[in-house]
Amino acid sequence: MTMGLAIEKIYLAKVIAAKTSGSISMIGSGLIIRDVILRWHRRKENQFLPIAQRIILSMSIADLFNSCFVHFLGTWMVPKGDITISDEKYPIPLAAGNETTCHIQAFIWDLFTIAGCSSNATLATAYWLMVCKEKKENELKQWKWQFPLVCLPWILGLVDSFLYVI
């Protein structure tokens, strides 16, 4: 087996591993989203989800789309062509996209990665507010807390994604 063929097989294995882990992540995120929504529909006394569940729902939605478009679809959205490693060219495994699909994937990757990571930070902030600052759930339902804890991660993701487009 030549060195080039071995490298191609390694890259193919990495692509398949990314698609497999992306599939597992999509299943996990989908189950979390389903669980949060079912709990929301079972609530009788209050129409609002607790702040932590809202943030977890937001984080799971971001992870679902990130896993789908970046890990699962991955190289399928990348233009056909070669990758250069140590002055040798190797085909990109399973590449089937074009420039447009590549740009769409970059936009989506930026949006959902920033939203997911920021949601993780806001979840930690929400727990800190509840545990250390003893904020009650009713207080955290106010718009002044909802905006930074639930909406801001998505705004940051959109701003960063549009900066890529511009």
Side-chain angles (χ1 to χ4, degrees):
M1 180 183 325
T2 66
M3 183 62 154
L5 188 57
I7 290 175
E8 286 180 34
K9 286 187 177 189
I10 289 170
Y11 279 114
L12 180 60
K14 287 182 178 183
V15 167
I16 291 170
K19 291 181 185 317
T20 304
S21 66
S23 299
I24 294 168
S25 181
M26 286 188 303
I27 291 167
S29 295
L31 290 172
I32 291 170
I33 292 167
R34 179 186 155 274
D35 186 56
V36 170
I37 290 173
L38 286 176
R39 286 180 188 215
W40 181 27
H41 286 295
R42 280 186 242 157
R43 295 176 66 87
K44 293 179 183 164
E45 74 282 351
N46 193 344
Q47 294 300 318
F48 292 106
L49 279 172
I51 188 71
Q53 287 185 11
R54 284 182 186 206
I55 297 170
I56 289 170
L57 179 64
S58 174
M59 191 183 328
S60 296
I61 290 169
D63 183 65
L64 177 73
F65 283 98
N66 193 16
S67 296
C68 177
F69 282 96
V70 177
H71 300 290
F72 183 73
L73 293 178
T75 56
W76 288 327
M77 295 182 81
V78 174
K80 289 182 181 179
D82 296 327
I83 184 171
T84 303
I85 302 170
S86 301
D87 295 329
E88 291 190 44
K89 291 189 176 212
Y90 301 99
I92 299 172
L94 306 177
N98 55 40
E99 288 293 320
T100 303
T101 59
C102 189
H103 289 297
I104 291 169
Q105 185 180 36
F107 179 88
I108 289 171
W109 176 79
D110 229 11
L111 169 63
F112 292 115
T113 299
I114 298 291
C117 292
S118 300
S119 293
N120 195 3
T122 60
L123 182 62
T125 303
Y127 282 132
W128 177 77
L129 287 168
M130 290 186 281
V131 173
C132 297
K133 296 298 181 181
E134 298 179 357
K135 298 278 185 196
K136 302 290 181 208
E137 186 66 40
N138 287 337
E139 190 175 350
L140 292 176
K141 287 181 184 174
Q142 296 173 1
W143 180 247
K144 72 177 185 176
W145 293 109
Q146 289 293 309
F147 179 78
L149 293 175
V150 180
C151 301
L152 190 59
W154 291 96
I155 292 170
L156 292 174
L158 279 170
V159 167
D160 192 57
S161 294
F162 279 113
L163 288 175
Y164 169 78
V165 172
I166 296 173

